[in-house]
Amino acid sequence: MGVMMAEPMEYLYIDVNMKGKRIRGESITYDDKLDLFREKTDEEKELEKQLADDGFDMNYIVNNSVANVKDKYRKGLIKWANHDPKHPYIEDKLMFSAAWLKLMVKGREVTDDKGKDIKL
């Protein structure tokens, strides 16, 4: 039957056309206590270093909601994504940028093959 989770979860799905290419991805945020004991891959370590150089904390991004990431890294996201802070839809743009950042850090690509070639 499965296990009921008492902790809140956040499912993220992005479907966007960027520079003529359709990109779809998904990610989930929840408190994964077992993940603390897992060794990071070399790619994760490199990404963590790059993010740190840009002022982001990968662990915070992984373990917090899109809204919290947007609020904590507002100035960093504006700079990172080259947003105009006076744009009338800046909050929406920042939410998308925070979601995109979460997807980059811990997400997977979704394809038309109904998940057969999902890249983890």
mmCIF file of all heavy atoms in Angstrom, residues 1 6 13 23-24 26 30 33 35 39 41 45 50 57 68 71 75 86 94-95 100 103 105 110 113 119:
data_model
loop_
_atom_site.group_PDB
_atom_site.id
_atom_site.type_symbol
_atom_site.label_atom_id
_atom_site.label_comp_id
_atom_site.label_asym_id
_atom_site.label_seq_id
_atom_site.Cartn_x
_atom_site.Cartn_y
_atom_site.Cartn_z
ATOM 1 N N MET A 1 0.819 -1.209 0.000
ATOM 2 C CA MET A 1 0.000 0.000 0.000
ATOM 3 C C MET A 1 0.854 1.261 0.000
ATOM 4 O O MET A 1 0.387 2.298 -0.394
ATOM 5 C CB MET A 1 -0.924 0.016 1.213
ATOM 6 C CG MET A 1 -1.904 -1.141 1.297
ATOM 7 S SD MET A 1 -3.182 -1.045 0.075
ATOM 8 C CE MET A 1 -4.283 0.099 0.811
ATOM 9 N N ALA A 6 4.595 12.162 6.453
ATOM 10 C CA ALA A 6 4.100 13.248 7.291
ATOM 11 C C ALA A 6 4.727 14.586 6.902
ATOM 12 O O ALA A 6 4.201 15.631 7.228
ATOM 13 C CB ALA A 6 4.382 12.940 8.758
ATOM 14 N N TYR A 13 7.372 20.565 -12.140
ATOM 15 C CA TYR A 13 7.400 20.138 -13.538
ATOM 16 C C TYR A 13 7.556 21.378 -14.399
ATOM 17 O O TYR A 13 6.813 22.348 -14.249
ATOM 18 C CB TYR A 13 6.103 19.404 -13.900
ATOM 19 C CG TYR A 13 6.053 18.961 -15.340
ATOM 20 C CD1 TYR A 13 6.754 17.842 -15.762
ATOM 21 C CD2 TYR A 13 5.312 19.667 -16.278
ATOM 22 C CE1 TYR A 13 6.714 17.431 -17.085
ATOM 23 C CE2 TYR A 13 5.264 19.265 -17.599
ATOM 24 C CZ TYR A 13 5.967 18.145 -17.994
ATOM 25 O OH TYR A 13 5.939 17.742 -19.308
ATOM 26 N N ILE A 23 12.118 21.734 -23.644
ATOM 27 C CA ILE A 23 12.759 21.141 -22.470
ATOM 28 C C ILE A 23 11.679 20.855 -21.439
ATOM 29 O O ILE A 23 10.901 21.737 -21.076
ATOM 30 C CB ILE A 23 13.811 22.098 -21.871
ATOM 31 C CG1 ILE A 23 14.878 22.414 -22.911
ATOM 32 C CG2 ILE A 23 14.414 21.503 -20.609
ATOM 33 C CD1 ILE A 23 15.829 23.506 -22.508
ATOM 34 N N ARG A 24 11.644 19.604 -21.009
ATOM 35 C CA ARG A 24 10.717 19.212 -19.947
ATOM 36 C C ARG A 24 11.517 18.518 -18.863
ATOM 37 O O ARG A 24 12.394 17.710 -19.145
ATOM 38 C CB ARG A 24 9.640 18.275 -20.479
ATOM 39 C CG ARG A 24 8.657 18.980 -21.381
ATOM 40 C CD ARG A 24 7.645 18.050 -21.940
ATOM 41 N NE ARG A 24 8.337 17.154 -22.874
ATOM 42 C CZ ARG A 24 7.834 16.000 -23.292
ATOM 43 N NH1 ARG A 24 6.687 15.582 -22.861
ATOM 44 N NH2 ARG A 24 8.514 15.268 -24.141
ATOM 45 N N GLU A 26 11.450 17.363 -14.360
ATOM 46 C CA GLU A 26 10.705 17.275 -13.115
ATOM 47 C C GLU A 26 11.668 17.097 -11.951
ATOM 48 O O GLU A 26 12.796 16.629 -12.116
ATOM 49 C CB GLU A 26 9.700 16.124 -13.150
ATOM 50 C CG GLU A 26 10.327 14.755 -13.235
ATOM 51 C CD GLU A 26 9.311 13.629 -13.308
ATOM 52 O OE1 GLU A 26 8.103 13.891 -13.230
ATOM 53 O OE2 GLU A 26 9.744 12.482 -13.429
ATOM 54 N N TYR A 30 11.605 16.953 -0.810
ATOM 55 C CA TYR A 30 11.117 16.430 0.462
ATOM 56 C C TYR A 30 12.332 16.198 1.341
ATOM 57 O O TYR A 30 13.464 16.201 0.872
ATOM 58 C CB TYR A 30 10.309 15.141 0.278
ATOM 59 C CG TYR A 30 11.092 14.004 -0.323
ATOM 60 C CD1 TYR A 30 11.704 13.040 0.475
ATOM 61 C CD2 TYR A 30 11.218 13.888 -1.707
ATOM 62 C CE1 TYR A 30 12.418 11.995 -0.090
ATOM 63 C CE2 TYR A 30 11.940 12.849 -2.270
ATOM 64 C CZ TYR A 30 12.529 11.911 -1.453
ATOM 65 O OH TYR A 30 13.247 10.897 -2.018
ATOM 66 N N LYS A 33 16.195 12.139 4.611
ATOM 67 C CA LYS A 33 17.225 11.963 5.630
ATOM 68 C C LYS A 33 18.298 10.964 5.196
ATOM 69 O O LYS A 33 19.454 11.095 5.559
ATOM 70 C CB LYS A 33 16.586 11.533 6.938
ATOM 71 C CG LYS A 33 15.743 12.643 7.571
ATOM 72 C CD LYS A 33 14.996 12.149 8.783
ATOM 73 C CE LYS A 33 14.191 13.236 9.440
ATOM 74 N NZ LYS A 33 13.231 13.906 8.642
ATOM 75 N N ASP A 35 19.521 10.653 2.260
ATOM 76 C CA ASP A 35 20.394 11.275 1.274
ATOM 77 C C ASP A 35 21.639 11.898 1.918
ATOM 78 O O ASP A 35 22.653 12.082 1.267
ATOM 79 C CB ASP A 35 19.627 12.333 0.478
ATOM 80 C CG ASP A 35 20.325 12.699 -0.816
ATOM 81 O OD1 ASP A 35 20.690 11.774 -1.571
ATOM 82 O OD2 ASP A 35 20.524 13.893 -1.062
ATOM 83 N N GLU A 39 27.206 9.467 -0.842
ATOM 84 C CA GLU A 39 28.378 10.192 -1.358
ATOM 85 C C GLU A 39 27.981 10.937 -2.634
ATOM 86 O O GLU A 39 27.355 10.361 -3.527
ATOM 87 C CB GLU A 39 29.507 9.204 -1.648
ATOM 88 C CG GLU A 39 30.763 9.839 -2.172
ATOM 89 C CD GLU A 39 31.514 10.678 -1.134
ATOM 90 O OE1 GLU A 39 31.379 10.390 0.066
ATOM 91 O OE2 GLU A 39 32.196 11.625 -1.555
ATOM 92 N N THR A 41 28.361 12.554 -6.280
ATOM 93 C CA THR A 41 29.127 12.217 -7.475
ATOM 94 C C THR A 41 30.081 13.369 -7.803
ATOM 95 O O THR A 41 29.925 14.487 -7.288
ATOM 96 C CB THR A 41 28.205 11.986 -8.685
ATOM 97 O OG1 THR A 41 27.557 13.219 -9.013
ATOM 98 C CG2 THR A 41 27.174 10.901 -8.403
ATOM 99 N N LYS A 45 29.607 17.383 -7.098
ATOM 100 C CA LYS A 45 30.622 18.184 -6.409
ATOM 101 C C LYS A 45 31.021 19.391 -7.251
ATOM 102 O O LYS A 45 31.180 20.496 -6.727
ATOM 103 C CB LYS A 45 31.853 17.330 -6.093
ATOM 104 C CG LYS A 45 31.601 16.300 -5.005
ATOM 105 C CD LYS A 45 32.823 15.416 -4.817
ATOM 106 C CE LYS A 45 32.543 14.286 -3.842
ATOM 107 N NZ LYS A 45 33.669 13.350 -3.747
ATOM 108 N N GLN A 50 30.455 25.295 -8.460
ATOM 109 C CA GLN A 50 30.039 26.375 -9.367
ATOM 110 C C GLN A 50 28.942 27.224 -8.731
ATOM 111 O O GLN A 50 28.961 28.451 -8.818
ATOM 112 C CB GLN A 50 29.541 25.796 -10.684
ATOM 113 C CG GLN A 50 30.623 25.196 -11.541
ATOM 114 C CD GLN A 50 30.065 24.472 -12.757
ATOM 115 O OE1 GLN A 50 28.862 24.330 -12.930
ATOM 116 N NE2 GLN A 50 30.957 23.990 -13.601
ATOM 117 N N ASP A 57 23.811 27.933 -2.272
ATOM 118 C CA ASP A 57 24.101 26.750 -1.463
ATOM 119 C C ASP A 57 23.266 25.591 -2.003
ATOM 120 O O ASP A 57 22.040 25.598 -1.906
ATOM 121 C CB ASP A 57 23.758 27.016 0.004
ATOM 122 C CG ASP A 57 23.939 25.818 0.914
ATOM 123 O OD1 ASP A 57 24.276 24.717 0.432
ATOM 124 O OD2 ASP A 57 23.740 25.986 2.124
ATOM 125 N N ASN A 68 10.851 29.375 -1.273
ATOM 126 C CA ASN A 68 11.914 29.702 -0.317
ATOM 127 C C ASN A 68 13.225 30.006 -1.028
ATOM 128 O O ASN A 68 13.957 30.915 -0.637
ATOM 129 C CB ASN A 68 12.122 28.567 0.677
ATOM 130 C CG ASN A 68 11.000 28.476 1.696
ATOM 131 O OD1 ASN A 68 10.189 29.381 1.833
ATOM 132 N ND2 ASN A 68 10.937 27.375 2.399
ATOM 133 N N ASP A 71 12.969 33.476 -2.496
ATOM 134 C CA ASP A 71 13.078 34.523 -1.483
ATOM 135 C C ASP A 71 14.513 34.676 -0.965
ATOM 136 O O ASP A 71 15.001 35.789 -0.815
ATOM 137 C CB ASP A 71 12.137 34.236 -0.311
ATOM 138 C CG ASP A 71 10.673 34.386 -0.702
ATOM 139 O OD1 ASP A 71 10.378 35.022 -1.735
ATOM 140 O OD2 ASP A 71 9.816 33.857 0.030
ATOM 141 N N LYS A 75 18.327 38.387 -5.077
ATOM 142 C CA LYS A 75 19.343 39.195 -5.773
ATOM 143 C C LYS A 75 20.227 38.316 -6.653
ATOM 144 O O LYS A 75 20.572 38.689 -7.764
ATOM 145 C CB LYS A 75 20.187 39.962 -4.766
ATOM 146 C CG LYS A 75 19.441 41.089 -4.104
ATOM 147 C CD LYS A 75 20.319 41.825 -3.118
ATOM 148 C CE LYS A 75 19.518 42.897 -2.405
ATOM 149 N NZ LYS A 75 20.298 43.560 -1.358
ATOM 150 N N LYS A 86 12.900 45.625 -12.396
ATOM 151 C CA LYS A 86 11.708 46.469 -12.495
ATOM 152 C C LYS A 86 10.674 45.912 -13.474
ATOM 153 O O LYS A 86 9.657 46.551 -13.729
ATOM 154 C CB LYS A 86 12.118 47.884 -12.909
ATOM 155 C CG LYS A 86 12.961 48.557 -11.846
ATOM 156 C CD LYS A 86 13.368 49.932 -12.253
ATOM 157 C CE LYS A 86 14.252 50.524 -11.173
ATOM 158 N NZ LYS A 86 14.838 51.782 -11.538
ATOM 159 N N LEU A 94 11.249 35.287 -11.344
ATOM 160 C CA LEU A 94 12.092 34.763 -10.276
ATOM 161 C C LEU A 94 11.640 33.367 -9.834
ATOM 162 O O LEU A 94 12.474 32.514 -9.527
ATOM 163 C CB LEU A 94 12.116 35.724 -9.088
ATOM 164 C CG LEU A 94 12.875 37.024 -9.323
ATOM 165 C CD1 LEU A 94 12.682 37.983 -8.160
ATOM 166 C CD2 LEU A 94 14.351 36.752 -9.565
ATOM 167 N N MET A 95 10.330 33.134 -9.800
ATOM 168 C CA MET A 95 9.833 31.791 -9.458
ATOM 169 C C MET A 95 10.310 30.785 -10.501
ATOM 170 O O MET A 95 10.751 29.689 -10.162
ATOM 171 C CB MET A 95 8.302 31.773 -9.367
ATOM 172 C CG MET A 95 7.747 32.355 -8.090
ATOM 173 S SD MET A 95 8.178 31.426 -6.597
ATOM 174 C CE MET A 95 6.978 30.123 -6.667
ATOM 175 N N TRP A 100 13.960 26.534 -12.129
ATOM 176 C CA TRP A 100 14.978 26.061 -13.068
ATOM 177 C C TRP A 100 16.255 25.679 -12.320
ATOM 178 O O TRP A 100 16.884 24.664 -12.607
ATOM 179 C CB TRP A 100 15.261 27.139 -14.103
ATOM 180 C CG TRP A 100 16.132 26.657 -15.206
ATOM 181 C CD1 TRP A 100 17.486 26.800 -15.319
ATOM 182 C CD2 TRP A 100 15.727 25.901 -16.342
ATOM 183 N NE1 TRP A 100 17.939 26.198 -16.457
ATOM 184 C CE2 TRP A 100 16.862 25.636 -17.104
ATOM 185 C CE3 TRP A 100 14.485 25.431 -16.787
ATOM 186 C CZ2 TRP A 100 16.820 24.920 -18.290
ATOM 187 C CZ3 TRP A 100 14.453 24.734 -17.972
ATOM 188 C CH2 TRP A 100 15.599 24.479 -18.707
ATOM 189 N N LEU A 103 15.749 22.419 -10.647
ATOM 190 C CA LEU A 103 15.769 21.350 -11.641
ATOM 191 C C LEU A 103 17.196 21.018 -12.058
ATOM 192 O O LEU A 103 17.539 19.850 -12.232
ATOM 193 C CB LEU A 103 14.942 21.770 -12.855
ATOM 194 C CG LEU A 103 14.497 20.682 -13.799
ATOM 195 C CD1 LEU A 103 13.570 19.706 -13.099
ATOM 196 C CD2 LEU A 103 13.803 21.289 -14.993
ATOM 197 N N VAL A 105 19.846 21.355 -10.200
ATOM 198 C CA VAL A 105 20.546 20.755 -9.070
ATOM 199 C C VAL A 105 20.090 19.323 -8.827
ATOM 200 O O VAL A 105 20.906 18.416 -8.670
ATOM 201 C CB VAL A 105 20.356 21.612 -7.796
ATOM 202 C CG1 VAL A 105 20.865 20.898 -6.575
ATOM 203 C CG2 VAL A 105 21.071 22.941 -7.966
ATOM 204 N N VAL A 110 12.446 14.853 -18.787
ATOM 205 C CA VAL A 110 11.310 14.035 -19.194
ATOM 206 C C VAL A 110 11.230 14.103 -20.715
ATOM 207 O O VAL A 110 11.321 15.179 -21.291
ATOM 208 C CB VAL A 110 9.997 14.562 -18.575
ATOM 209 C CG1 VAL A 110 8.805 13.745 -19.040
ATOM 210 C CG2 VAL A 110 10.084 14.565 -17.062
ATOM 211 N N ASP A 113 9.394 9.581 -24.801
ATOM 212 C CA ASP A 113 9.423 8.117 -24.738
ATOM 213 C C ASP A 113 8.730 7.566 -23.496
ATOM 214 O O ASP A 113 8.979 6.438 -23.102
ATOM 215 C CB ASP A 113 10.867 7.618 -24.749
ATOM 216 C CG ASP A 113 11.485 7.688 -26.119
ATOM 217 O OD1 ASP A 113 10.866 8.264 -27.022
ATOM 218 O OD2 ASP A 113 12.584 7.167 -26.276
ATOM 219 N N LYS A 119 16.888 10.774 -17.969
ATOM 220 C CA LYS A 119 18.260 10.911 -17.472
ATOM 221 C C LYS A 119 18.195 11.335 -16.008
ATOM 222 O O LYS A 119 17.612 12.351 -15.681
ATOM 223 C CB LYS A 119 19.013 11.954 -18.290
ATOM 224 C CG LYS A 119 19.153 11.579 -19.735
ATOM 225 C CD LYS A 119 19.789 12.703 -20.518
ATOM 226 C CE LYS A 119 19.799 12.368 -21.996
ATOM 227 N NZ LYS A 119 20.211 13.497 -22.810
#
